[in-house]
Amino acid sequence: MSSDVDVLPEPSKKWHEHAQKRFASPFTGQKFDRIDVDAMMLSHAALISGFTINDFYTKPELGAACVANASEMYDLIPMTHWYFSLPWVAELGAEIQFQPLLPPVVRTPTITDLEMVDKIEVPDLKEMERGFTGQLMTRAQDYIQKNTPEKFVPMTYTSDLTGGGAQLCGIENFVMWTLSERDVVHQLIRKYTEAAINGAELMAERYGSAFISTGSVLANNDVLSDRDVDELSAKYLRTFVNKALRKGAGPQVLYHLCGNHETDYKVFKDRLVFTPFTIMHAGYMGREVFPSDILMKEFGDVATIMGSVDTRIMILPNPKRVYEQAKQQLLRGRESKNGYILGTACELPPDSLPANVFALVQAARDYGTYGDW
């Protein structure tokens, strides 16, 4: 592992000190440098460093080092995180299959009939720490803490409570059961939520207060009605974050609403738990990126908002298009009361063109000021 990491350049302390002040500014009421950019970096960092998607997921130490290198190279947020795409489902019995050129997948659904749902056992903290996700996450965070402690922010990551439950039985079964077996669907989400809460407690006990990253992915308007998003996602997000905070996680929280939240975004305002360090992010409104001015109007008084640039255009050879869309989003949201971050609608695609990421950051340099400075 050390030989892999050794090919990456040494981190710049000068860059980090500057970027750290910029990252903190929206949460402290300051205006430093410019609006920050979070390109939601995962395996793209490995690819541009000469490694593979498989390397990113199977070698979390290397994946974390690549994210740190990419963040500095592009001038993004200075905190190093390593995201695993299927957190905690293995702890509930799912078998994870790594792939050479794609993110890992669940090999086969664990739950094949309704009666099996009752038999799911939620592991305790010791089992979580020894489990598949727990080992990968602690390897990544141990590496960051040891090698680049200035970039270390402990994190507990549960991408999607609804989707986590769905992974256990398969997406098709889950969607069908939302219509015919609603009690079973609730039981699946409830057990996954309990596992996620234990995961949050594990990270908080091991590392101290841990940044909570979560959201609503499967539960969006392409799949469910507003009422169902409220019942099957927002309600559980509230439970998860509330209990995770009580277990020592937080106080920073990122809510990532992935996919189309054309109308269901309205259900989250009254449901979610907001701390003074909350970031609210929404990907799309219909087929277009979620407008920053609407995000600001709805959530700007309770959270730092994170505007989106369409991930689909990050793989196209057109940096000007990225720049122009970023510019429009910045102008729509940069005056948000509790600050603004510019991001991509979801994970930066692995094969994104570096010129597009540089265009994203350049737009933040040119238009990323909080109103009149």
Side-chain angles (χ1 to χ4, degrees), residues 188-216:
L188 278 169
I189 303 173
R190 190 178 303 115
K191 290 195 173 185
Y192 181 77
T193 301
E194 291 172 8
I197 293 166
N198 285 348
E201 184 176 3
L202 167 65
M203 295 302 163
E205 283 195 0
R206 187 178 177 107
Y207 301 108
S209 58
F211 167 52
I212 302 168
S213 180
T214 189
S216 185

Side-chain angles (χ1 to χ4, degrees), residues 128-279:
M128 295 284 282
E129 189 169 20
R130 296 192 300 265
F132 184 85
T133 309
Q135 289 189 49
L136 289 174
M137 286 190 173
T138 54
R139 281 172 57 188
Q141 300 206 71
D142 286 350
Y143 174 85
I144 301 166
Q145 186 179 44
K146 178 181 178 181
N147 292 278
T148 53
E150 69 279 2
K151 297 182 180 180
F152 179 58
V153 176
M155 180 182 72
T156 180
Y157 172 56
T158 301
S159 57
D160 177 22
L161 299 166
T162 314
Q167 290 286 354
L168 300 175
C169 65
I171 302 297
E172 291 183 1
N173 278 339
F174 184 87
V175 173
M176 181 178 67
W177 289 351
T178 62
L179 302 175
S180 60
E181 304 290 344
R182 186 59 68 101
D183 289 345
V184 172
V185 167
H186 276 291
Q187 194 171 6
L188 278 169
I189 303 173
R190 190 178 303 115
K191 290 195 173 185
Y192 181 77
T193 301
E194 291 172 8
I197 293 166
N198 285 348
E201 184 176 3
L202 167 65
M203 295 302 163
E205 283 195 0
R206 187 178 177 107
Y207 301 108
S209 58
F211 167 52
I212 302 168
S213 180
T214 189
S216 185
V217 181
L218 177 64
N220 67 69
N221 281 145
D222 283 341
V223 182
L224 301 172
S225 67
D226 290 3
R227 181 178 178 181
D228 284 345
V229 169
D230 186 25
E231 181 182 340
L232 301 177
S233 179
K235 182 177 83 170
Y236 289 99
L237 279 171
R238 182 179 183 86
T239 298
F240 166 63
V241 172
N242 189 31
K243 291 189 176 181
L245 289 169
R246 293 173 184 273
K247 298 289 186 179
Q252 189 162 54
V253 183
L254 167 64
Y255 292 112
H256 167 51
L257 307 184
C258 186
N260 172 26
H261 293 274
E262 187 166 7
T263 56
D264 69 42
Y265 71 90
K266 297 177 182 179
V267 310
F268 291 98
K269 178 72 174 289
D270 295 328
R271 278 287 193 189
L272 299 184
V273 176
F274 293 93
T275 74
F277 307 101
T278 298
I279 302 170

Side-chain angles (χ1 to χ4, degrees), residues 8 41-57 62-63 66-67 69-70 73-74 100-103 315 347-354:
L8 301 174
M41 184 75 64
L42 275 78
S43 59
H44 172 76
L47 291 184
I48 63 167
S49 301
F51 301 101
T52 67
I53 295 175
N54 183 266
D55 288 332
F56 178 84
Y57 287 108
L62 175 63
C66 288
V67 169
N69 179 57
M73 182 184 78
Y74 288 129
L101 301 175
L102 293 169
I315 63 173
E347 173 193 350
L348 184 69
D351 54 348
S352 294
L353 301 177

